[in-house]
Amino acid sequence: MGCVHGKCCSRYPSSSSDGDSGHHREKKPYKCKHILTQRSLQLVPVPSHNFTLQCSALTQHGYYPDTVERENQDSFCIKTQIQGNPNVHFFGVFDGHGQFGAQCSNFVKDRLIEMLSSDSTLLDDPRKAYNSAFLATNSELHNSEIDDTMSGTTAITVLVVGDTLYVANVGDSRAVMAVKDGDRILAEDLSEDQTPFRKDECERVKLCGARVLSVDQVEGLKDPNIQDWGDEESQGGDPPRLWVPNGMYPGTAFTRSVGDSTAESIGVIAVPEIKVVRLTPNHLFFVVASDGVFEFLPSQTVVNMAAAYTDPRDACAAIAGESYKLWLDNENRTDDITIIIVQIKGLSNSGASATDGGVDSRPMVMRSIKGSLDMCSVSESETYSSVKSDFSDTQQSCQHSVSMNRSAAIVVPSPMRQRPLQLDVG
């Protein structure tokens, strides 16, 4: 969920039409390639703890009947062996929005991992490195040739360092872990959507001058003094949005993003919320996806569907296909849909090596501080593609990268490989 009218920030007059040159800059579009390739299955060893990550990704172009030529604004990145370290790997999904959303998404996809990979303090202080990379990328985007006054991107990223995950989120895309609990597989959110539905985020942006109102409230159809919008599950059709004090823009339904320089003036920040998770044998796989997946599918449903397949390529295809169908059942369009599934194979309690590389091992800690898969070889064998936050810390890194954007066809898995993951209930 992004800006008014499907993540576009200008259902209402934008700054370029009101004569305020302070909100608009003449900039050339950022040139990015959209490469179509086949889905790939990637095996990524983590030798320090004797387990393997098996992953795949898929991005599905959204269907917009009024703008059929609209490009996919999602991108993603899978990069392994960051800084040449075989135990450090990065997964990210970036969901662009606004007129130049695709350019913003691809710019952030590229620059964020480049900054993490070049940060010499990455392994010493992943949180600090993550935070610095997000803020620096945001600053670079503001100063780039891309006009991000009313465009930007979310970013949901997972950095694997040995047996520890650092999950950094800006926006309303999501990461979810599948956890074995007896004979059940439970979904555990690794990120929390940053939207005005969250009371802490709502109060924070109000202190920055934002008006928080739904479209019906802005248009006078509902009382603007009622500042209770229920929850996202029941009120997602007309969510609370952010507006400047004396204008009808930008109308963002998220409280954090990279880019969106106009919304930044009312509290939309690029500071990530970072969660740290120590892996155990009960962690089966994690999903990183744009809100094109989670708009109509709860986290538990996504985990249930992913667990029904041994091959993550088929799981990605099934989830993307179901998401696409639900969009068309509920609306006359679909959002772009991007998903990465990473299975954790062979992790045991005795698998860790003697040294842990100084990685923080505290499980399930969230801290706040102020402040494709279609693959094409790229230099340093990288894998790229395009998918929340208070004040936080950070980290990430990798060395194999691929860029891809898929066609608008609905994808369906081959039923032959539809075997559920086997649980060892022991």
Side-chain angles (χ1 to χ4, degrees):
M1 181 185 305
C3 304
V4 176
H5 279 180
K7 303 216 175 196
C8 164
C9 291
S10 54
R11 167 178 174 179
Y12 297 97
S14 70
S15 51
S16 60
S17 63
D18 62 13
D20 186 353
S21 59
H23 291 308
H24 185 71
R25 293 165 288 161
E26 284 298 325
K27 292 195 174 185
K28 299 176 182 179
Y30 177 74
K31 302 296 184 184
C32 56
K33 296 181 180 179
H34 297 281
I35 302 171
L36 302 177
T37 57
Q38 296 300 311
R39 285 178 294 150
S40 296
L41 182 66
Q42 193 173 356
L43 298 177
V44 183
V46 184
S48 64
H49 291 77
N50 299 321
F51 70 95
T52 298
L53 302 174
Q54 178 172 270
C55 64
S56 185
L58 181 154
T59 184
Q60 170 74 48
H61 194 289
Y63 169 63
Y64 289 81
D66 296 329
T67 53
V68 292
E69 298 302 319
R70 175 188 176 278
E71 60 187 324
N72 188 346
Q73 294 186 311
D74 283 5
S75 65
F76 68 86
C77 171
I78 297 175
K79 183 164 178 153
T80 65
Q81 299 187 24
I82 297 177
Q83 298 184 351
N85 190 322
N87 304 303
V88 184
H89 314 289
F90 176 84
F91 306 86
V93 174
F94 308 86
D95 184 353
H97 50 262
Q99 182 178 357
F100 302 109
Q103 293 93 324
C104 291
S105 172
N106 281 279
F107 181 94
V108 174
K109 171 203 72 179
D110 293 341
R111 289 299 292 140
L112 184 64
I113 187 57
E114 287 171 359
M115 290 191 176
L116 285 170
S117 298
S118 63
D119 191 334
S120 60
T121 70
L122 178 64
L123 299 183
D124 295 328
D125 194 342
R127 296 185 187 90
K128 181 179 178 181
Y130 239 148
N131 199 66
S132 297
F134 267 89
L135 294 179
T137 299
N138 187 57
S139 179
E140 281 196 6
L141 179 55
H142 289 341
N143 294 311
S144 73
E145 62 181 7
I146 304 170
D147 183 353
D148 72 343
T149 52
M150 302 288 275
S151 299
T153 185
T154 70
I156 176 68
T157 65
V158 178
L159 181 70
V160 180
V161 183
D163 66 345
T164 303
L165 305 185
Y166 295 85
V167 184
N169 181 48
V170 168
D172 57 0
S173 296
R174 190 180 304 173
V176 181
M177 177 68 76
V179 183
K180 182 176 73 172
D181 181 23
D183 59 353
R184 302 179 301 167
I185 299 179
L186 302 180
E188 182 176 274
D189 286 339
L190 299 177
S191 61
E192 187 178 357
D193 299 356
Q194 294 151 356
T195 74
F197 280 110
R198 278 178 54 179
K199 286 183 169 52
D200 58 338
E201 285 291 280
C202 185
E203 291 306 312
R204 182 181 62 76
V205 296
K206 283 181 179 179
L207 290 174
C208 295
R211 292 186 300 145
V212 182
L213 301 166
S214 68
V215 171
D216 280 353
Q217 288 176 312
V218 167
E219 295 181 339
L221 302 177
K222 290 184 178 178
D223 186 350
N225 295 314
I226 298 177
Q227 294 282 288
D228 183 0
W229 300 275
D231 58 72
E232 193 163 354
E233 299 277 326
S234 60
Q235 299 298 323
D238 185 26
R241 297 177 180 273
L242 276 56
W243 314 89
V244 296
N246 300 304
M248 304 291 270
Y249 62 91
T252 62
F254 46 79
T255 56
R256 300 187 192 215
S257 74
V258 184
D260 292 294
S261 58
T262 297
E264 194 172 90
S265 68
I266 53 172
V268 176
I269 57 177
V271 181
E273 285 178 328
I274 299 171
K275 191 168 188 176
V276 184
V277 179
R278 180 73 175 266
L279 293 175
T280 74
N282 289 329
H283 292 123
L284 304 179
F285 60 85
F286 59 87
V287 178
V288 185
S290 63
D291 75 335
V293 169
F294 294 107
E295 183 73 14
F296 298 109
L297 289 176
S299 297
Q300 186 63 57
T301 301
V302 170
V303 163
N304 292 346
M305 293 183 68
Y309 298 88
T310 56
D311 191 317
R313 291 172 294 184
D314 293 333
C316 286
I319 293 167
E322 180 66 12
S323 301
Y324 196 99
K325 175 182 178 296
L326 289 173
W327 273 98
L328 293 179
D329 286 347
N330 288 274
E331 300 192 15
N332 66 349
R333 67 173 186 97
T334 78
D335 197 358
D336 301 323
I337 295 166
T338 300
I339 182 169
I340 301 173
I341 296 178
V342 183
Q343 297 176 342
I344 302 163
K345 302 282 192 178
L347 180 64
S348 65
N349 287 322
S350 60
S353 62
T355 60
D356 201 16
V359 175
D360 188 336
S361 62
R362 290 170 291 181
M364 304 313 294
V365 176
M366 167 134 8
R367 291 184 139 201
S368 292
I369 63 173
K370 192 166 183 179
S372 324
L373 192 207
D374 295 333
M375 302 180 56
C376 76
S377 321
V378 183
S379 61
E380 294 187 1
S381 92
E382 305 176 354
T383 302
Y384 289 125
S385 282
S386 305
V387 327
K388 180 172 153 201
S389 149
D390 198 318
F391 306 124
S392 289
D393 335 64
T394 118
Q395 145 157 41
Q396 111 188 359
S397 204
C398 77
Q399 176 189 358
H400 175 254
S401 129
V402 170
S403 234
M404 79 172 253
N405 286 335
R406 271 197 164 335
S407 66
I410 299 179
V411 289
V412 272
S414 50
M416 303 183 295
R417 292 197 293 261
Q418 186 175 358
R419 298 197 313 275
L421 290 174
Q422 298 298 311
L423 287 183
D424 182 7
V425 185

